[in-house]
């Protein structure tokens, strides 16, 4: 428990009070001196305090001096009911001036070239006396003001004569001077210039705020209107001031008058005063701009709190740090309202710098933003040489306006992300998903070769079914496994999820039927859920009617949600900039990777490495398992490549070659036998057995175009008809509590239960206290 001690002290004729909290510790002499210096606004390193008191109630007639911690303890113990003797404080500034120095020792004597700054006490002042002779500089006089007396220097009788050794010459008494009237001027450290311009009044105040915090001074706003902005020092006697004027018909403010020198004392940087200071989001944003110039990614709020306290000496809350972080992003890329206002101009410039780009924007009846669709021209053209499998998923935005961000992405033959289309919808419902797939149809035509992979969102499923009639649709087996394990009972649910994913990836129908029967016997409740809610043609690899290659989950798009986790917190245009910038980086990296291979490498690195590792194993199978193949080939081998590939597909009972579209170990063994056969009439290369989508040449074509970013707003050239289009932002959604970061569970997926810790097994411990009580342990 912390206790408070009240102390009354007198210095230079004035009474002061202190309240010190002990916090279970004894008050030391250094603690007491430090608090008194803070109260008197003195620099503890440059002054020395002499403390004394009169213990009259104890019968003592002499003053008792406090010299060490023991004396402080005795002084504190003498108080009753939190009342103590008055403490007399004398301020001593070393080195001391001689005691015989009179109040006015140097009058009308030149002091040129001499510096009294280090010799004066706190209660001394400089008096400037004018010389009677013209053309001479004013003289200086040291005047010591004794504040302990009630009478001032000027209260002496004006008729009093002052004599010296030269005779009866009359000397005029010195002018009345108050202690501390003349102080050394100091610079504010802001560094403004006359006629310097600021984009707004708030921008000017941010600069002044930062300087005031860094250099420990306060200011007040004297006048603030549409035409002028006047700031003065918090101390009325100080000459520091800034006056700015508004430039007509603009929001720009220009500095007209600026006095950067303070004539007051600097505010103490003690903890007591710093607690009274309050940081603002604008101040935090200004500090972030200086520390991380031009960067959208700044530290987390907890680190920002420490940064502000270290550099500015101000404690801010977590919410202030978070709002300042968001304000810094708005300063770089504009506010959320500006993003909606300029979205038409942004889309116009995006299509201008990226040829072939297709965009759609839909507004509601009140001209408010509703849906957005973007497909870059480079991605549209590159998808023509890609495997026709598209993964679709949506993730929630965290910019305060709600909505979801939609990705329609493919996977290139080397298993890299290949984003085809981006969408921003108000929510996941039938109307929004239907609109998105209608616009996607203008980019990706409906063909039987096309396959969609997604989770089991009902609106998404309905949107694909109503727009793409010929395409096939498969379910993500990972999402489905989470639903399946939630319906399993009396078993390890993680094992059930793993068993289901292994079952769904079986290649042959015979093996699938056998494994599925085992699954239903071991996990009947999970199997009943599967049969009641899905059909095996949607998730089983061997039963799927389309060609989806190795893709059986939506993890490709789920990882995109993590890549753009921070971008989802931005407003609309900064978010699109971040996404397009990342796509452009990927295009550049993969274009360079595709071009770096030699001409001898006909396949992408993934398949090339796979076949290289499989070659040794395939050589062992060529004699034992391909007798039927050798017989049929010798009879009909002259019919060409197509028959040869079909013959390999029939011979390969594992069906890996049929589904993955590159040779399995059996097909590779058949190719080796073909190459070693001396009776063959034609030669064949290994890449001819692989689907054209895995050829390095096709891979390079997918990335041959460059994606360009939208230039800065100052470089936009927008027609007047585009500028006239208006888009209003959606109403901001006000939510209580902390911002939600984790996604919502998909359809059928159980929400994670709160972990219970009461019934968890703890480390082995002694149970003797159950029998004999705690005292026996």
């Amino acid at each position: 428990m912390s206790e408070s001690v009240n102390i009354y002290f007198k210095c230079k004729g004035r009474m002061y009070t202190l309240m010190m909290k002990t916090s279970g510790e004894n008050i030391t002499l250094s603690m007491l001196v430090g608090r008194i210096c803070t109260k008197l606004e003195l620099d503890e390193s440059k002054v020395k305090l002499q403390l004394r008191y009169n213990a009259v109630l104890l019968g003592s007639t002499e003053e008792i001096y406090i010299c060490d911690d023991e004396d402080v303890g005795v002084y504190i113990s003498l108080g009753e009911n939190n009342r103590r003797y008055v403490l007399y404080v004398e301020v001593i500034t070393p080195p001391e001036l001689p005691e015989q120095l009179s109040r006015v020792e140097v009058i009308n004597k030149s002091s040129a070239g001499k510096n009294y700054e280090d010799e004066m006490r706190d209660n001394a002042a400089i008096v400037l006396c004018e010389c009677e002779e013209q053309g001479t500089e004013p003289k200086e006089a040291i005047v010591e003001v004794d504040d302990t007396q009630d009478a001032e220097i000027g209260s002496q009788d004006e008729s009093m004569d002052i004599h010296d050794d030269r005779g009866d010459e009359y000397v005029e008494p010195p002018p009345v001077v108050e202690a501390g009237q003349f102080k050394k001027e100091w610079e504010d450290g802001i560094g403004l210039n006359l006629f310097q311009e600021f984009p707004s009044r708030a921008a000017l105040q941010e600069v002044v705020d930062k300087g005031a915090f860094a250099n420990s001074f306060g200011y007040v706003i004297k006048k603030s209107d549409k035409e002028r902005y006047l700031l003065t020092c918090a101390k009325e006697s100080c000459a520091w001031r800034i006056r700015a004027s508004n430039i007509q018909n603009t929001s720009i403010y220009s500095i007209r008058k600026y006095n950067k020198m303070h004539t007051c004392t600097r505010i103490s940087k003690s903890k007591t005063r710093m607690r009274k200071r309050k940081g603002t989001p604008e101040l935090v944003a200004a500090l972030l701009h200086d520390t991380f110039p031009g960067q959208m990614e700044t530290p987390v709020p907890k680190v920002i709190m420490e940064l502000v306290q270290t550099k500015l000496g101000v404690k801010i809350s977590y919410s202030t740090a978070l709002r300042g972080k968001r304000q810094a992003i708005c300063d770089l890329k504009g506010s959320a309202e500006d993003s909606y206002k300029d979205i038409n101009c942004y889309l116009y410039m995006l299509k201008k710098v990226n040829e072939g780009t297709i965009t759609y924007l839909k507004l509601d009846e009140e001209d408010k933003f509703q849906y957005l669709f973007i497909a870059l021209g480079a991605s549209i053209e590159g998808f023509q040489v890609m495997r026709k499998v598209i993964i679709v998923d949506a993730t929630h935005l965290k910019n305060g306006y709600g909505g979801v961000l939609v990705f329609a992405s493919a996977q290139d033959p080397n298993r890299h992300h290949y984003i085809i289309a981006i969408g921003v919808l108000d929510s996941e419902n039938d109307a929004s998903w239907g609109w998105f797939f209608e616009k996607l149809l203008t980019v990706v035509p409906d063909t039987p070769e096309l396959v969609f992979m997604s989770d089991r969102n009902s609106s998404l499923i309905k949107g694909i079914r109503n727009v793409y009639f010929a395409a096939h649709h498969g379910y993500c087996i990972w999402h489905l496994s989470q639903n399946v394990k939630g319906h399993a009972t009396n078993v390890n649910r993680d094992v059930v999820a793993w068993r289901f994913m292994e079952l769904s990836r079986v290649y042959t129908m015979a093996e699938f039927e056998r494994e599925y029967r085992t699954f239903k016997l071991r996990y009947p409740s999970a199997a009943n859920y599967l049969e009641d809610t899905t059909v095996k043609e949607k998730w089983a690899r061997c039963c799927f009617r389309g060609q989806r290659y190795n893709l059986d989950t939506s993890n490709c798009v789920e990882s995109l949600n993590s890549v753009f986790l921070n971008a989802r917190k931005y407003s609309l245009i900064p978010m699109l900039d971040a996404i397009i910038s990342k796509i452009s980086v990927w295009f550049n990296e993969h274009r360079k990777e595709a071009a770096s291979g030699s001409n001898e490498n006909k396949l992408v690195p993934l398949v090339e490495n796979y076949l290289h590792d499989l070659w040794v194993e395939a050589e062992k199978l060529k004699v034992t398992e391909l007798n039927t193949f050798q017989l049929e080939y010798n009879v009909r081998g002259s019919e060409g490549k197509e028959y040869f590939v079909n013959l390999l597909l029939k011979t390969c009972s594992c069906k890996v070659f049929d589904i993955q579209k590159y040779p399995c170990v059996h097909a590779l063994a058949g190719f080796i036998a073909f190459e070693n056969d001396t009776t063959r009439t034609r030669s064949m290369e290994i890449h001819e057995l692989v689907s054209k989508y895995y050829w390095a040449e096709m891979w390079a074509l997918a990335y041959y175009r460059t994606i360009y970013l939208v230039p800065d707003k100052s470089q936009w050239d927008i027609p007047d008809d585009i500028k006239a289009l208006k888009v209003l932002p959606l109403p901001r959604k006000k939510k209580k509590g902390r911002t939600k970061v984790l996604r919502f569970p998909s359809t059928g997926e159980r929400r994670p239960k709160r972990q219970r810790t009461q019934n968890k097994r703890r480390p082995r411990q002694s149970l003797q206290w159950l029998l004999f009580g705690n005292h026996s342990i």
Side-chain angles (χ1 to χ4, degrees):
M1 293 293 291
S2 61
E3 299 179 355
S4 60
V5 175
N6 296 331
I7 297 176
Y8 305 88
F9 69 93
K10 187 175 183 179
C11 181
K12 298 181 181 181
R14 296 186 59 183
M15 289 292 298
Y16 299 86
T17 60
L18 281 179
M19 183 175 70
M20 302 185 66
K21 294 184 178 180
T22 59
S23 300
E25 300 177 358
N26 295 328
I27 298 177
T28 63
L29 179 61
S30 60
M31 293 170 56
L32 182 59
V33 172
R35 289 297 304 275
I36 293 176
C37 289
T38 301
K39 192 74 173 182
L40 298 177
E41 299 184 4
L42 299 176
D43 190 345
E44 187 178 352
S45 62
K46 296 182 180 180
V47 298
K48 183 178 180 181
L49 301 184
Q50 191 178 67
L51 309 180
R52 65 184 188 275
Y53 63 95
N54 291 327
V56 293
L57 297 180
L58 298 178
S60 175
T61 58
E62 297 181 356
E63 294 182 337
I64 301 176
Y65 287 82
I66 298 179
C67 302
D68 52 20
D69 295 342
E70 185 177 0
D71 294 341
V72 175
V74 173
Y75 171 74
I76 296 298
S77 63
L78 293 178
E80 297 180 359
N81 298 327
N82 215 7
R83 295 182 179 180
R84 286 168 183 83
Y85 299 105
V86 175
L87 196 64
Y88 294 93
V89 178
E90 183 180 355
V91 180
I92 302 175
T93 305
E96 285 283 343
L97 289 176
E99 294 182 358
Q100 61 269 23
L101 183 65
S102 60
R103 294 185 179 178
V104 184
E105 180 179 345
V106 184
I107 298 180
N108 292 334
K109 293 183 180 180
S110 175
S111 60
K114 186 173 182 179
N115 184 12
Y116 288 99
E117 182 177 354
D118 296 331
E119 298 180 1
M120 293 189 304
R121 312 177 193 178
D122 282 352
N123 52 359
I126 298 176
V127 179
L128 300 180
C129 303
E130 297 181 357
C131 290
E132 296 180 357
E133 300 178 1
Q134 296 181 353
T136 60
E137 296 181 354
K139 307 288 195 305
E140 293 182 354
I142 298 181
V143 179
E144 182 177 352
V145 181
D146 190 0
D147 288 321
T148 59
Q149 299 180 3
D150 295 333
E152 297 179 344
I153 296 176
S155 64
Q156 297 179 3
D157 187 4
E158 296 181 356
S159 61
M160 181 180 63
D161 296 337
I162 300 179
H163 301 272
D164 60 4
D165 296 339
R166 292 176 295 178
D168 297 336
E169 181 181 358
Y170 172 75
V171 179
E172 184 179 358
V176 178
V177 180
E178 296 180 359
Q181 180 176 348
F182 296 96
K183 297 181 176 64
K184 185 177 179 180
E185 294 183 348
W186 53 279
E187 190 175 345
D188 59 3
I190 301 177
L192 300 179
N193 298 316
L194 285 178
F195 306 106
Q196 183 176 351
E197 295 181 350
F198 293 86
S200 64
R201 186 169 50 194
L204 172 58
Q205 187 174 357
E206 289 177 11
V207 175
V208 178
D209 270 339
K210 183 182 176 183
F213 277 109
N215 295 280
S216 300
F217 69 88
Y219 71 91
V220 293
I221 302 175
K222 286 293 185 181
K223 293 185 183 296
S224 178
D225 52 35
K226 296 181 179 180
E227 297 180 356
R228 53 188 173 177
Y229 191 57
L230 178 61
L231 305 176
T232 61
C233 183
K235 296 186 178 180
E236 297 181 357
S237 59
C238 182
W240 180 90
R241 65 183 54 239
I242 297 175
R243 187 172 73 84
S245 299
N246 176 257
I247 298 178
Q248 192 174 4
N249 298 327
T250 66
S251 61
I252 300 175
Y253 277 76
S254 176
I255 303 296
R256 298 303 182 185
K257 288 185 179 180
Y258 175 44
N259 183 7
K260 63 181 179 181
M261 303 304 296
H262 282 269
T263 58
C264 61
T265 56
R266 195 186 296 261
I267 297 176
S268 174
K269 291 186 177 181
S270 65
K271 295 181 179 180
T272 305
R273 291 188 175 273
M274 284 303 177
R275 290 193 195 103
K276 298 179 181 178
R277 294 182 177 272
K278 293 183 179 179
T280 62
E282 291 76 15
L283 182 67
V284 175
L287 179 62
L288 292 177
H289 290 321
D290 291 343
T291 311
F292 309 96
Q295 297 185 21
M296 298 282 286
E297 300 296 335
T298 53
V300 296
K302 188 174 181 180
V303 177
I304 295 176
M305 293 168 63
E306 298 176 356
L307 183 66
V308 173
Q309 186 173 5
T310 302
K311 291 196 171 185
L312 302 179
V314 181
K315 289 187 177 180
I316 60 174
S317 63
Y318 184 94
S319 61
T320 301
L322 181 59
R323 285 183 284 136
K325 178 182 174 73
R326 293 173 178 172
Q327 181 65 38
I329 298 174
C330 292
D331 294 341
L332 291 175
K333 292 295 184 178
S335 63
E337 292 76 11
D338 293 337
S339 291
Y340 288 106
K341 178 182 177 181
D342 299 333
I343 187 61
N344 280 301
C345 300
Y346 179 86
L347 296 178
Y348 175 84
M349 290 301 302
L350 180 63
K351 291 186 288 187
K352 186 176 180 180
V353 298
N354 293 285
E355 185 180 357
T357 299
I358 297 177
T359 63
Y360 296 100
L361 178 65
K362 184 179 179 182
L363 309 179
D364 60 9
E365 298 80 3
E366 300 177 355
D367 291 335
K368 291 183 178 180
F369 176 88
Q370 194 170 12
Y371 307 139
L372 174 65
F373 177 90
I374 297 176
L376 298 173
S379 299
I380 297 173
E381 189 171 344
F383 183 67
Q384 297 177 6
V385 294
M386 287 281 187
R387 298 175 295 175
K388 300 300 181 287
V389 182
I390 299 178
I391 305 99
V392 184
D393 195 18
T395 181
H396 289 268
L397 298 176
K398 307 295 181 182
N399 55 13
Y401 288 89
V404 293
L405 175 64
V406 179
F407 288 110
S409 177
Q411 191 182 73
D412 75 356
N414 212 38
R415 298 190 181 180
H416 294 142
H417 297 300
Y418 197 88
I419 298 177
I420 303 170
I422 307 166
V424 179
L425 310 176
D426 57 355
S427 62
E428 292 190 81
N429 52 53
D430 295 349
S432 61
W433 276 119
W435 182 89
F436 178 82
F437 284 111
E438 287 176 1
K439 303 309 176 187
L440 185 64
L441 185 62
T442 63
V443 176
V444 181
D446 185 16
T447 61
E449 187 183 7
L450 184 64
V451 173
F452 285 97
M453 292 296 301
S454 70
D455 57 19
R456 295 189 303 148
N457 182 282
S458 58
S459 298
L460 190 153
I461 295 173
K462 188 181 297 183
I464 295 176
R465 184 174 62 245
N466 294 339
V467 177
Y468 284 90
F469 302 102
H472 302 279
H473 186 196
Y475 296 154
C476 170
I477 63 172
W478 186 88
H479 285 89
L480 191 55
S481 69
Q482 302 305 302
N483 301 339
V484 169
K485 79 174 187 178
H487 290 80
T489 57
N490 300 327
V491 291
N492 189 324
R493 293 182 174 180
D494 293 333
V495 174
V496 176
W498 176 76
R499 291 283 186 185
F500 170 77
M501 295 188 68
E502 291 295 319
L503 171 66
S504 64
R505 287 171 173 167
V506 172
Y507 283 94
T508 62
M509 195 67 187
E511 184 181 0
F512 173 78
E513 293 293 344
R514 183 174 64 255
E515 294 294 334
Y516 193 31
R517 286 195 297 269
T518 304
F519 185 84
K520 288 192 291 186
L521 290 175
R522 298 186 64 179
Y523 315 111
S525 59
N528 292 335
Y529 169 77
L530 275 175
E531 295 178 351
D532 293 342
T533 58
T534 63
V535 292
K536 58 186 177 182
E537 288 78 12
K538 294 291 185 180
W539 53 270
R541 173 179 283 171
C542 60
C543 301
F544 191 74
R545 296 173 183 175
Q547 187 59 53
R548 64 182 189 184
Y549 303 91
N550 63 294
L551 298 169
D552 51 15
T553 68
S554 61
N555 291 348
C556 176
V557 175
E558 294 289 347
S559 61
L560 289 177
N561 299 339
S562 299
V563 171
F564 300 111
L565 179 63
N566 291 327
R568 290 188 283 139
K569 302 175 184 177
Y570 302 160
S571 54
L572 185 59
I573 290 181
M575 180 186 68
L576 296 176
D577 272 338
I579 295 173
I580 295 173
S581 174
K582 194 65 176 180
I583 298 175
S584 177
V585 170
W586 286 340
F587 260 65
N588 296 335
E589 291 178 353
H590 301 156
R591 185 190 309 111
K592 182 178 179 181
E593 184 181 3
S596 62
S598 64
N599 295 330
E600 297 179 357
N601 297 328
K602 303 295 184 180
L603 302 174
V604 297
L606 177 73
V607 179
E608 192 84 33
N609 297 335
Y610 168 79
L611 296 179
H612 180 272
D613 297 338
L614 207 62
W615 190 274
V616 176
E617 185 179 354
E619 286 182 333
K620 300 177 182 178
L621 297 177
K622 65 179 181 179
V623 178
T624 59
E625 297 187 10
L626 293 175
N627 294 331
T628 305
F629 161 73
Q630 293 285 0
L631 179 63
E632 293 188 22
Y633 169 71
N634 289 333
V635 176
R636 305 181 62 181
S638 60
E639 294 187 7
K641 171 189 171 183
E642 293 184 1
Y643 175 75
F644 179 76
V645 173
N646 291 332
L647 190 60
L648 284 179
L649 291 175
K650 292 179 181 179
T651 307
C652 298
S653 58
C654 64
K655 298 300 179 181
V656 175
F657 188 21
D658 190 15
I659 294 175
Q660 299 287 5
K661 299 303 179 184
Y662 49 76
C664 61
V665 63
H666 308 95
L668 191 58
F671 174 77
I672 295 174
F674 175 79
E675 287 293 315
N676 296 334
D677 189 0
T678 58
T679 61
R680 59 185 173 85
T681 58
R682 61 184 297 273
S683 63
M684 182 179 294
E685 296 185 9
I686 186 64
H687 76 274
E688 297 182 36
L689 299 179
V690 181
S691 171
K692 62 180 182 179
Y693 295 127
Y694 294 104
W695 292 0
E697 180 183 0
M698 304 291 281
W699 183 39
L701 286 175
Y703 294 104
Y704 88 96
R705 286 187 56 181
T706 302
I707 296 178
Y708 298 96
L709 303 181
V710 176
D712 187 74
K713 191 175 180 180
S714 60
Q715 304 178 16
W716 289 4
D717 184 15
I718 311 296
D720 294 336
D721 57 336
I722 302 296
K723 291 181 179 179
L725 298 176
K726 295 182 179 180
V727 179
L728 300 177
L730 294 170
R732 183 178 288 272
K733 294 186 176 181
K734 296 182 180 180
K735 296 183 178 180
K736 295 182 180 180
R738 190 173 181 178
T739 305
K740 186 174 179 62
V741 177
L742 300 178
R743 67 175 183 85
F744 291 97
S746 61
T747 303
E749 184 179 356
R750 287 191 176 184
R751 295 179 180 269
K753 293 184 178 180
R754 184 178 180 181
Q755 294 185 356
R756 298 177 61 188
T757 58
Q758 292 85 352
N759 59 349
K760 293 291 184 181
R761 187 178 296 277
R762 298 176 180 176
R764 186 178 298 276
Q765 57 184 357
S766 175
L767 301 180
Q768 295 182 7
W769 62 274
L770 289 175
L771 301 176
F772 308 106
N774 293 332
H775 301 287
S776 62
I777 301 178

